[in-house]
């Protein structure tokens, strides 16, 4: 249903530097959705149902903190959304990005800040066409 590599893992695994192309390769191999974390630049979401578009979510300003565990928090958020029957890729992306950002605010891995709802409200989300 969903794969969530970071940008470095994705480009290395797929052997190309173009994130969109690499994510679409994963979709071509059977992934339904691919979330790609890109550090302070936010997260991208690709959906097999719409292979010519993608979502991008980011905060207005990068957060200072500890990124250890941010990817795991994103996966946890996506898993919770899927377990709750959510199938909307944008909604999954919003939750994953907010939880990931909330994890950066914590001093150690394994926790997310209670500010995740506030962070979700601050997200700038765009829907982009692929060239």
């Amino acid at each position: 249903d969903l794969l969530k590599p970071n940008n470095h893992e994705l480009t290395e695994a797929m052997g190309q530097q173009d994130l969109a192309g690499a994510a679409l390769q994963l979709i071509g191999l059977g992934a339904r959705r691919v979330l790609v974390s890109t550090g302070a630049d936010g997260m991208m979401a690709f959906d097999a149902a719409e292979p010519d578009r993608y979502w991008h979510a980011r905060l207005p300003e990068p957060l200072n903190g500890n990124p250890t565990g941010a990817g795991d928090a994103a996966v946890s958020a996506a898993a919770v959304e899927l377990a709750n029957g959510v199938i909307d890729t944008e909604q999954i992306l919003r939750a994953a990005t907010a939880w990931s950002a909330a994890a950066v605010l914590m001093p150690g891995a394994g926790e997310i800040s209670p500010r995740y709802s506030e962070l979700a409200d601050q997200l700038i989300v765009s829907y982009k066409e692929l060239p």
Side-chain angles (χ1 to χ4, degrees), residues 16-103:
Q16 66 169 300
Q17 294 304 306
D18 176 50
L19 289 178
L24 292 175
Q25 269 186 282
L26 282 179
I27 286 174
L29 293 170
R32 227 180 188 168
R33 291 179 197 89
V34 178
L35 297 182
V36 183
S37 54
T38 59
D41 290 330
M43 196 171 304
M44 302 162 73
F46 298 85
D47 191 313
E50 299 182 90
D52 56 342
R53 299 180 176 106
Y54 69 95
W55 291 96
H56 180 243
R58 66 175 179 82
L59 289 170
E61 300 290 328
L63 296 174
N64 291 318
N66 180 5
T68 305
D72 293 335
V75 171
S76 296
V80 167
E81 293 295 291
L82 290 169
N84 286 331
V86 174
I87 59 170
D88 181 65
T89 299
E90 180 188 3
Q91 187 174 340
I92 294 167
L93 173 67
R94 285 178 179 275
T97 306
W99 283 32
S100 180

Side-chain angles (χ1 to χ4, degrees), residues 66 68-70 72-73 99-114 116:
N66 180 5
T68 305
D72 293 335
W99 283 32
S100 180
V104 170
L105 296 177
M106 300 306 289
E111 295 181 286
I112 63 169
S113 167
Y116 69 88

Side-chain angles (χ1 to χ4, degrees), residues 113-127:
S113 167
R115 291 183 49 205
Y116 69 88
S117 292
E118 172 191 335
L119 294 167
D121 290 341
Q122 294 175 20
L123 289 174
I124 299 167
V125 180
S126 56
Y127 194 47

